[in-house]
Amino acid sequence: MLDAVQAEPYFTHRARDPSLESFREVQFRAWHAVAERVQSLSPCEVSRLSDEEIWKPASEELKRWEEAGGDPQYRMANDMAWPNLTAAVRRAGRNLVDRELTVRILELRLERAASRDGRWPEKFFDTESRICPGSAYQYQARGAAMSIRFAGSIDEPATPGLSLPLVFEVRPPPPPPTPTRPPRPKAAPAPRP
């Protein structure tokens, strides 16, 4: 995703209009600075930043360009693109955590399948997140039930329903229905003499 952020200015200004060449160069530097900063952080660290904090390196680069005589009206192109790109970066970070949770679920299913009694493991030792260092997964197993969830802090999806929850549960199967006796047939009335 960050590679796409870095390449976006190139695709936006492919026409090579000479009047835009200076702006295109500053836009490359600006977006590259943002991508480098975000790459150095975990998705959980990025989720704690405001949009302004994420784009601060780009704003500083554009400000220097404007102070050197660049046309400030071009800043509007960046201002319009930044919210969508920020949402995409945050969504990509959440998807990394979702993928890590899915791997944990598959590991637990493998352990369950390999167990003699077909039960969920009592303990799960691989709870530390590699995507968000310092965060962990909480795991509980009770008989046929199991739950695992990401206990760190990550961005909630901007549009509800477009991301999976970062929790997975297996509930015990419902008890089988109790057999009931069929109703006794009513005796037919005796015929009248």
Side-chain angles (χ1 to χ4, degrees):
M1 186 63 217
L2 295 174
D3 290 342
V5 168
Q6 288 176 314
E8 179 67 20
Y10 173 74
F11 295 116
T12 306
H13 300 292
R14 283 178 64 183
R16 300 278 186 185
D17 182 342
S19 66
L20 295 176
E21 191 63 31
S22 171
F23 176 66
R24 189 172 69 82
E25 291 302 320
V26 75
Q27 197 176 31
F28 269 128
R29 289 193 310 270
W31 291 31
H32 186 76
V34 169
E36 278 186 346
R37 173 144 192 261
V38 172
Q39 283 175 331
S40 71
L41 302 172
S42 75
C44 292
E45 291 171 319
V46 171
S47 76
R48 291 189 285 269
L49 298 176
S50 68
D51 292 0
E52 292 78 24
E53 290 170 317
I54 290 173
W55 289 97
K56 184 177 180 185
S59 292
E60 291 170 349
E61 192 69 44
L62 287 167
K63 183 177 178 185
R64 284 191 292 275
W65 177 72
E66 289 170 1
E67 288 171 353
D71 189 345
Q73 77 177 4
Y74 289 125
R75 178 181 283 268
M76 186 174 27
N78 284 304
D79 292 345
M80 290 185 328
W82 289 354
N84 288 333
L85 288 170
T86 304
V89 166
R90 291 182 189 282
R91 194 170 45 254
R94 184 177 174 86
N95 287 341
L96 288 173
V97 173
D98 179 77
R99 184 178 70 180
E100 185 178 54
L101 173 62
T102 301
V103 168
R104 297 296 196 285
I105 294 165
L106 293 174
E107 289 170 351
L108 288 164
R109 284 185 170 174
L110 284 173
E111 284 190 42
R112 178 181 177 208
S115 73
R116 291 178 190 217
D117 59 3
R119 297 175 66 108
W120 294 103
E122 289 296 319
K123 298 221 183 266
F124 186 59
F125 297 101
D126 190 15
T127 59
E128 290 299 312
S129 173
R130 289 170 190 77
I131 298 298
C132 286
S135 297
Y137 291 88
Q138 292 178 342
Y139 172 73
Q140 283 187 321
R142 280 180 255 113
M146 179 277 282
S147 71
I148 184 168
R149 73 178 198 84
F150 180 68
S153 175
I154 191 78
D155 289 309
E156 287 298 319
T159 308
L162 294 181
S163 290
L164 296 172
L166 298 178
V167 62
F168 179 79
E169 292 181 332
V170 174
R171 296 187 178 114
T178 22
T180 58
R181 292 185 180 199
R184 286 186 164 177
K186 293 185 179 181
R192 291 185 174 194

Coordinates of all heavy atoms in Angstrom, one line a residue, residues 48-117:
R48 N -2.6 5.4 16.1 CA -2.7 6.5 17.2 C -2.4 7.9 16.6 O -2.5 8.8 17.4 CB -1.7 6.1 18.3 CG -2.2 4.9 19.1 CD -1.3 4.6 20.3 NE 0.0 4.1 20.0 CZ 0.3 2.8 20.0 NH1 -0.7 1.9 20.2 NH2 1.5 2.4 19.7
L49 N -2.0 7.9 15.4 CA -1.6 9.2 14.8 C -2.9 9.9 14.1 O -3.7 9.2 13.6 CB -0.6 9.1 13.7 CG 0.8 8.6 14.1 CD1 1.7 8.4 12.9 CD2 1.5 9.5 15.1
S50 N -3.0 11.2 14.2 CA -4.0 11.9 13.5 C -3.7 11.9 12.0 O -2.5 11.7 11.7 CB -4.2 13.3 14.1 OG -3.1 14.1 13.8
D51 N -4.6 12.3 11.2 CA -4.3 12.4 9.8 C -3.2 13.5 9.6 O -2.4 13.3 8.7 CB -5.6 12.8 9.0 CG -6.6 11.6 8.9 OD1 -6.3 10.5 9.5 OD2 -7.6 11.8 8.3
E52 N -3.3 14.6 10.3 CA -2.3 15.6 10.2 C -0.9 15.2 10.6 O 0.0 15.5 9.9 CB -2.7 16.8 11.1 CG -4.0 17.6 10.6 CD -5.3 16.8 11.0 OE1 -5.3 16.0 12.0 OE2 -6.3 17.0 10.3
E53 N -0.9 14.3 11.6 CA 0.5 13.8 12.0 C 1.0 12.9 10.9 O 2.2 12.9 10.7 CB 0.4 13.0 13.3 CG 0.1 14.0 14.5 CD -0.2 13.2 15.8 OE1 -1.0 12.3 15.7 OE2 0.3 13.6 16.8
I54 N 0.2 12.1 10.3 CA 0.7 11.2 9.2 C 1.2 12.0 8.1 O 2.3 11.7 7.5 CB -0.5 10.3 8.7 CG1 -0.8 9.2 9.8 CG2 -0.1 9.6 7.4 CD1 -2.0 8.4 9.5
W55 N 0.5 13.1 7.7 CA 0.9 13.8 6.5 C 1.8 15.0 6.8 O 2.1 15.8 5.9 CB -0.4 14.3 5.8 CG -1.0 13.2 5.1 CD1 -2.1 12.4 5.6 CD2 -0.6 12.5 3.9 NE1 -2.4 11.4 4.7 CE2 -1.5 11.5 3.7 CE3 0.4 12.8 2.9 CZ2 -1.4 10.6 2.5 CZ3 0.4 12.0 1.8 CH2 -0.4 10.9 1.6
K56 N 2.3 15.1 8.1 CA 3.2 16.2 8.4 C 4.4 16.3 7.6 O 4.8 17.4 7.1 CB 3.5 16.1 9.9 CG 4.4 17.3 10.4 CD 4.7 17.2 11.9 CE 5.5 18.4 12.3 NZ 5.9 18.3 13.7
P57 N 5.1 15.2 7.3 CA 6.3 15.3 6.4 C 6.0 15.9 5.0 O 6.7 16.7 4.5 CB 6.8 13.9 6.3 CG 6.3 13.2 7.5 CD 4.9 13.8 7.8
A58 N 4.8 15.5 4.5 CA 4.4 16.1 3.2 C 4.1 17.6 3.3 O 4.5 18.4 2.4 CB 3.2 15.3 2.7
S59 N 3.4 17.9 4.3 CA 3.0 19.4 4.5 C 4.3 20.2 4.6 O 4.4 21.3 4.1 CB 2.2 19.5 5.8 OG 0.9 19.0 5.6
E60 N 5.3 19.7 5.4 CA 6.5 20.5 5.5 C 7.3 20.6 4.2 O 7.8 21.7 3.9 CB 7.4 19.8 6.5 CG 6.9 19.9 8.0 CD 7.6 19.0 9.0 OE1 8.5 18.1 8.5 OE2 7.4 19.1 10.2
E61 N 7.3 19.5 3.4 CA 7.9 19.6 2.1 C 7.2 20.6 1.2 O 7.8 21.4 0.5 CB 7.9 18.2 1.5 CG 8.8 18.0 0.2 CD 10.2 18.1 0.5 OE1 10.7 17.5 1.5 OE2 10.9 18.8 -0.3
L62 N 5.9 20.6 1.2 CA 5.1 21.5 0.3 C 5.3 23.0 0.8 O 5.4 23.9 0.0 CB 3.6 21.1 0.4 CG 3.2 19.9 -0.5 CD1 1.8 19.4 -0.1 CD2 3.4 20.2 -1.9
K63 N 5.4 23.1 2.1 CA 5.6 24.5 2.7 C 6.9 25.0 2.2 O 7.0 26.2 1.8 CB 5.5 24.5 4.2 CG 5.6 25.8 4.8 CD 5.5 25.7 6.3 CE 5.7 27.1 6.9 NZ 5.7 27.1 8.4
R64 N 8.0 24.2 2.2 CA 9.3 24.7 1.8 C 9.2 25.0 0.3 O 9.8 26.0 -0.2 CB 10.4 23.6 2.0 CG 10.8 23.5 3.4 CD 12.0 22.6 3.6 NE 11.8 21.2 3.3 CZ 11.3 20.3 4.2 NH1 11.0 20.7 5.4 NH2 11.1 19.1 3.8
W65 N 8.5 24.2 -0.5 CA 8.4 24.5 -1.9 C 7.7 25.8 -2.2 O 8.1 26.6 -3.0 CB 7.7 23.3 -2.6 CG 7.4 23.5 -4.0 CD1 8.3 23.4 -5.0 CD2 6.1 23.7 -4.7 NE1 7.7 23.5 -6.3 CE2 6.4 23.8 -6.0 CE3 4.8 23.9 -4.2 CZ2 5.3 24.0 -7.0 CZ3 3.8 24.1 -5.1 CH2 4.1 24.1 -6.5
E66 N 6.6 26.0 -1.4 CA 5.8 27.3 -1.6 C 6.7 28.5 -1.2 O 6.6 29.5 -1.8 CB 4.5 27.3 -0.8 CG 3.5 26.3 -1.3 CD 2.3 26.1 -0.4 OE1 2.3 26.7 0.7 OE2 1.4 25.3 -0.7
E67 N 7.5 28.4 -0.1 CA 8.3 29.5 0.3 C 9.4 29.8 -0.7 O 9.9 30.9 -0.8 CB 9.0 29.1 1.7 CG 8.0 29.2 2.8 CD 8.5 28.6 4.1 OE1 9.7 28.1 4.1 OE2 7.8 28.7 5.2
A68 N 9.8 28.7 -1.5 CA 10.8 28.9 -2.6 C 10.1 29.4 -3.9 O 10.8 29.5 -4.9 CB 11.5 27.6 -2.8
G69 N 8.8 29.7 -3.8 CA 8.2 30.3 -5.0 C 7.2 29.4 -5.7 O 6.7 29.8 -6.8
G70 N 6.9 28.2 -5.1 CA 6.0 27.3 -5.7 C 4.5 27.9 -5.6 O 4.2 28.6 -4.7
D71 N 3.7 27.5 -6.5 CA 2.3 28.0 -6.6 C 1.5 27.3 -5.5 O 1.3 26.1 -5.6 CB 1.7 27.7 -7.9 CG 0.4 28.4 -8.1 OD1 -0.3 28.8 -7.1 OD2 -0.1 28.5 -9.3
P72 N 1.0 28.0 -4.5 CA 0.2 27.4 -3.4 C -1.1 26.7 -3.8 O -1.7 25.9 -3.1 CB -0.1 28.5 -2.4 CG 0.4 29.8 -3.0 CD 1.1 29.4 -4.3
Q73 N -1.6 27.1 -5.0 CA -2.9 26.5 -5.4 C -2.7 25.0 -5.7 O -3.7 24.2 -5.7 CB -3.5 27.2 -6.7 CG -2.8 26.8 -8.0 CD -3.4 27.5 -9.1 OE1 -4.3 28.3 -9.0 NE2 -2.9 27.2 -10.3
Y74 N -1.5 24.5 -6.0 CA -1.3 23.1 -6.2 C -1.5 22.2 -4.9 O -1.7 21.0 -5.0 CB 0.0 22.8 -6.8 CG 0.1 23.3 -8.3 CD1 1.1 24.1 -8.6 CD2 -0.8 22.8 -9.2 CE1 1.2 24.6 -10.0 CE2 -0.7 23.2 -10.5 CZ 0.3 24.1 -10.9 OH 0.4 24.6 -12.2
R75 N -1.4 22.9 -3.8 CA -1.6 22.1 -2.5 C -3.0 21.5 -2.5 O -3.1 20.5 -1.9 CB -1.4 23.1 -1.4 CG -1.6 22.4 0.0 CD -1.4 23.4 1.1 NE 0.0 23.7 1.4 CZ 0.7 23.1 2.3 NH1 0.2 22.1 2.9 NH2 2.0 23.4 2.5
M76 N -3.9 22.1 -3.1 CA -5.3 21.6 -3.1 C -5.4 20.2 -3.6 O -6.1 19.3 -3.1 CB -6.2 22.5 -3.9 CG -7.7 22.1 -3.8 SD -8.9 23.2 -4.6 CE -8.0 24.0 -5.9
A77 N -4.5 19.8 -4.6 CA -4.5 18.5 -5.2 C -4.2 17.5 -4.1 O -4.7 16.4 -4.0 CB -3.6 18.4 -6.3
N78 N -3.2 17.8 -3.3 CA -2.8 17.0 -2.2 C -3.9 16.9 -1.1 O -4.2 15.8 -0.6 CB -1.5 17.4 -1.6 CG -0.3 17.1 -2.4 OD1 -0.1 15.9 -2.7 ND2 0.5 18.0 -2.8
D79 N -4.4 18.0 -0.8 CA -5.5 18.1 0.3 C -6.7 17.2 -0.1 O -7.3 16.6 0.8 CB -5.9 19.5 0.5 CG -4.8 20.4 1.1 OD1 -3.8 19.8 1.6 OD2 -5.0 21.6 1.1
M80 N -7.0 17.1 -1.4 CA -8.1 16.3 -1.8 C -7.7 14.8 -1.8 O -8.6 13.9 -1.5 CB -8.5 16.7 -3.2 CG -9.2 18.0 -3.2 SD -9.9 18.5 -4.8 CE -8.9 17.8 -6.1
A81 N -6.5 14.4 -2.0 CA -6.1 13.0 -2.1 C -5.8 12.4 -0.7 O -6.0 11.2 -0.5 CB -4.8 12.9 -3.0
W82 N -5.3 13.2 0.2 CA -4.8 12.7 1.5 C -5.9 11.9 2.3 O -5.5 10.9 2.8 CB -4.2 13.9 2.3 CG -2.9 14.4 1.8 CD1 -2.2 13.9 0.7 CD2 -2.2 15.5 2.2 NE1 -1.1 14.6 0.5 CE2 -1.1 15.6 1.4 CE3 -2.4 16.4 3.2 CZ2 -0.1 16.6 1.6 CZ3 -1.4 17.4 3.4 CH2 -0.3 17.5 2.6
P83 N -7.1 12.4 2.4 CA -8.0 11.6 3.2 C -8.3 10.2 2.7 O -8.3 9.2 3.5 CB -9.4 12.4 3.1 CG -8.9 13.8 2.9 CD -7.7 13.7 2.0
N84 N -8.4 10.0 1.4 CA -8.6 8.7 0.8 C -7.3 7.8 1.0 O -7.4 6.6 1.3 CB -8.9 8.7 -0.7 CG -10.3 9.2 -0.9 OD1 -11.2 9.1 0.0 ND2 -10.6 9.8 -2.0
L85 N -6.1 8.4 0.8 CA -4.9 7.6 1.0 C -4.7 7.3 2.5 O -4.3 6.2 2.8 CB -3.7 8.4 0.4 CG -3.7 8.5 -1.1 CD1 -2.6 9.5 -1.5 CD2 -3.4 7.2 -1.7
T86 N -5.1 8.2 3.3 CA -4.9 7.9 4.8 C -5.8 6.7 5.2 O -5.4 5.8 5.9 CB -5.3 9.1 5.6 OG1 -4.4 10.2 5.2 CG2 -5.1 8.9 7.1
A87 N -7.1 6.7 4.7 CA -8.0 5.6 5.0 C -7.5 4.3 4.4 O -7.6 3.3 5.0 CB -9.4 6.0 4.4
A88 N -6.9 4.4 3.2 CA -6.3 3.1 2.6 C -5.1 2.6 3.4 O -5.0 1.4 3.7 CB -5.9 3.4 1.2
V89 N -4.3 3.5 3.9 CA -3.2 3.0 4.8 C -3.7 2.4 6.1 O -3.2 1.4 6.5 CB -2.2 4.2 5.0 CG1 -1.2 3.9 6.1 CG2 -1.5 4.6 3.7
R90 N -4.6 3.1 6.7 CA -5.2 2.5 7.9 C -5.9 1.2 7.7 O -5.8 0.3 8.5 CB -6.2 3.5 8.5 CG -5.5 4.8 9.0 CD -6.6 5.7 9.7 NE -6.0 7.0 10.0 CZ -5.3 7.3 11.1 NH1 -5.0 6.4 11.9 NH2 -4.9 8.6 11.3
R91 N -6.6 1.1 6.6 CA -7.3 -0.2 6.3 C -6.3 -1.3 6.0 O -6.5 -2.4 6.5 CB -8.2 0.0 5.0 CG -9.2 -1.1 4.8 CD -10.2 -0.7 3.7 NE -9.7 -0.1 2.5 CZ -9.8 1.2 2.2 NH1 -10.5 2.0 3.0 NH2 -9.3 1.7 1.1
A92 N -5.2 -1.0 5.3 CA -4.1 -2.0 5.1 C -3.5 -2.4 6.4 O -3.3 -3.6 6.6 CB -3.0 -1.4 4.2
G93 N -3.3 -1.5 7.3 CA -2.8 -1.9 8.7 C -3.7 -2.8 9.4 O -3.3 -3.8 10.0
R94 N -5.0 -2.5 9.4 CA -6.0 -3.4 10.0 C -6.0 -4.8 9.3 O -6.2 -5.8 10.0 CB -7.4 -2.7 10.0 CG -8.4 -3.5 10.8 CD -9.7 -2.9 10.8 NE -10.7 -3.7 11.4 CZ -11.0 -3.8 12.7 NH1 -10.3 -3.1 13.5 NH2 -11.9 -4.6 13.1
N95 N -5.9 -4.8 8.0 CA -5.9 -6.1 7.3 C -4.7 -6.9 7.7 O -4.8 -8.2 7.7 CB -5.9 -5.9 5.8 CG -7.3 -5.4 5.3 OD1 -8.3 -5.6 6.0 ND2 -7.4 -4.8 4.2
L96 N -3.6 -6.3 8.0 CA -2.4 -7.0 8.5 C -2.7 -7.7 9.8 O -2.3 -8.9 10.0 CB -1.2 -6.1 8.6 CG -0.5 -5.7 7.3 CD1 0.5 -4.6 7.6 CD2 0.0 -6.8 6.5
V97 N -3.3 -7.0 10.7 CA -3.7 -7.6 12.0 C -4.7 -8.7 11.8 O -4.6 -9.8 12.4 CB -4.2 -6.5 13.0 CG1 -4.8 -7.1 14.2 CG2 -3.1 -5.5 13.3
D98 N -5.7 -8.5 10.9 CA -6.7 -9.5 10.6 C -6.0 -10.8 10.0 O -6.4 -11.9 10.4 CB -7.7 -9.0 9.6 CG -8.8 -10.0 9.2 OD1 -9.7 -10.2 10.0 OD2 -8.6 -10.6 8.1
R99 N -5.1 -10.6 9.2 CA -4.3 -11.7 8.6 C -3.6 -12.5 9.7 O -3.6 -13.7 9.7 CB -3.4 -11.3 7.5 CG -2.7 -12.4 6.8 CD -1.8 -11.9 5.7 NE -0.7 -11.3 6.4 CZ 0.3 -10.7 5.7 NH1 0.3 -10.7 4.4 NH2 1.3 -10.1 6.3
E100 N -3.0 -11.8 10.6 CA -2.2 -12.4 11.7 C -3.2 -13.2 12.6 O -2.9 -14.3 13.0 CB -1.5 -11.3 12.5 CG -0.6 -11.9 13.6 CD 0.2 -10.8 14.4 OE1 -0.5 -9.9 14.9 OE2 1.4 -11.0 14.4
L101 N -4.4 -12.6 12.9 CA -5.4 -13.3 13.7 C -5.8 -14.6 13.0 O -5.9 -15.7 13.6 CB -6.6 -12.4 14.0 CG -7.8 -13.1 14.7 CD1 -7.4 -13.6 16.0 CD2 -8.9 -12.1 14.8
T102 N -6.0 -14.5 11.7 CA -6.4 -15.7 10.9 C -5.4 -16.8 11.0 O -5.7 -18.0 11.2 CB -6.7 -15.3 9.4 OG1 -7.7 -14.3 9.4 CG2 -7.1 -16.5 8.6
V103 N -4.1 -16.4 11.0 CA -3.0 -17.4 11.1 C -3.1 -18.1 12.5 O -3.0 -19.3 12.7 CB -1.6 -16.8 10.9 CG1 -0.5 -17.7 11.4 CG2 -1.5 -16.4 9.5
R104 N -3.4 -17.3 13.6 CA -3.5 -17.8 14.9 C -4.7 -18.8 15.0 O -4.6 -19.9 15.6 CB -3.7 -16.7 16.0 CG -2.6 -15.7 16.1 CD -1.4 -16.4 16.6 NE -0.4 -15.5 17.1 CZ 0.4 -14.7 16.4 NH1 0.3 -14.7 15.1 NH2 1.3 -13.9 17.0
I105 N -5.8 -18.5 14.4 CA -6.9 -19.4 14.4 C -6.6 -20.7 13.7 O -6.9 -21.8 14.2 CB -8.1 -18.7 13.7 CG1 -8.6 -17.5 14.5 CG2 -9.3 -19.7 13.5 CD1 -9.5 -16.5 13.7
L106 N -5.9 -20.6 12.5 CA -5.5 -21.8 11.8 C -4.6 -22.7 12.6 O -4.7 -23.9 12.7 CB -4.9 -21.5 10.5 CG -5.9 -20.8 9.5 CD1 -5.1 -20.4 8.2 CD2 -7.0 -21.8 9.1
E107 N -3.6 -22.0 13.4 CA -2.7 -22.8 14.2 C -3.5 -23.5 15.3 O -3.2 -24.7 15.6 CB -1.7 -21.8 14.9 CG -0.7 -21.3 13.9 CD 0.2 -20.2 14.5 OE1 -0.1 -19.7 15.6 OE2 1.1 -19.8 13.9
L108 N -4.5 -22.9 15.9 CA -5.3 -23.5 17.0 C -6.1 -24.6 16.4 O -6.2 -25.7 17.0 CB -6.2 -22.5 17.6 CG -5.5 -21.5 18.5 CD1 -6.4 -20.3 18.8 CD2 -5.1 -22.1 19.8
R109 N -6.6 -24.5 15.2 CA -7.4 -25.6 14.6 C -6.5 -26.8 14.3 O -6.9 -27.9 14.4 CB -8.1 -25.1 13.3 CG -9.3 -24.2 13.6 CD -10.0 -23.9 12.3 NE -11.3 -23.3 12.6 CZ -12.1 -22.7 11.7 NH1 -11.8 -22.7 10.5 NH2 -13.2 -22.2 12.1
L110 N -5.3 -26.5 13.9 CA -4.3 -27.6 13.7 C -4.0 -28.4 15.0 O -4.0 -29.6 15.0 CB -3.0 -27.1 13.0 CG -3.1 -26.8 11.5 CD1 -1.8 -26.1 11.1 CD2 -3.4 -28.0 10.7
E111 N -3.8 -27.6 16.0 CA -3.5 -28.2 17.3 C -4.8 -29.0 17.8 O -4.6 -30.1 18.3 CB -3.2 -27.2 18.4 CG -1.8 -26.6 18.2 CD -1.4 -25.8 19.4 OE1 -1.7 -26.1 20.6 OE2 -0.8 -24.7 19.2
R112 N -5.9 -28.5 17.6 CA -7.1 -29.3 17.9 C -7.3 -30.5 17.1 O -7.6 -31.6 17.7 CB -8.4 -28.4 17.7 CG -9.7 -29.1 18.0 CD -10.8 -28.2 17.8 NE -12.1 -28.9 18.0 CZ -13.2 -28.6 17.4 NH1 -13.3 -27.6 16.6 NH2 -14.3 -29.3 17.7
A113 N -7.0 -30.4 15.8 CA -7.1 -31.6 15.0 C -6.1 -32.7 15.3 O -6.3 -33.9 15.2 CB -7.0 -31.2 13.5
A114 N -4.9 -32.2 15.8 CA -3.8 -33.2 16.2 C -4.0 -33.8 17.6 O -3.3 -34.7 17.9 CB -2.5 -32.5 16.1
S115 N -4.9 -33.2 18.4 CA -5.1 -33.7 19.8 C -5.8 -35.0 19.8 O -6.6 -35.3 18.9 CB -5.8 -32.7 20.6 OG -7.2 -32.6 20.3
R116 N -5.6 -35.8 20.8 CA -6.2 -37.1 20.9 C -7.7 -37.0 21.2 O -8.5 -37.8 20.7 CB -5.6 -37.9 22.0 CG -4.2 -38.3 21.6 CD -3.5 -39.1 22.7 NE -2.1 -39.2 22.4 CZ -1.4 -40.3 22.7 NH1 -2.0 -41.3 23.2 NH2 -0.2 -40.3 22.3
D117 N -8.1 -36.0 21.9 CA -9.5 -35.8 22.3 C -10.3 -34.8 21.5 O -11.4 -34.6 21.7 CB -9.6 -35.5 23.8 CG -8.9 -34.1 24.1 OD1 -8.4 -33.5 23.2 OD2 -8.8 -33.7 25.3

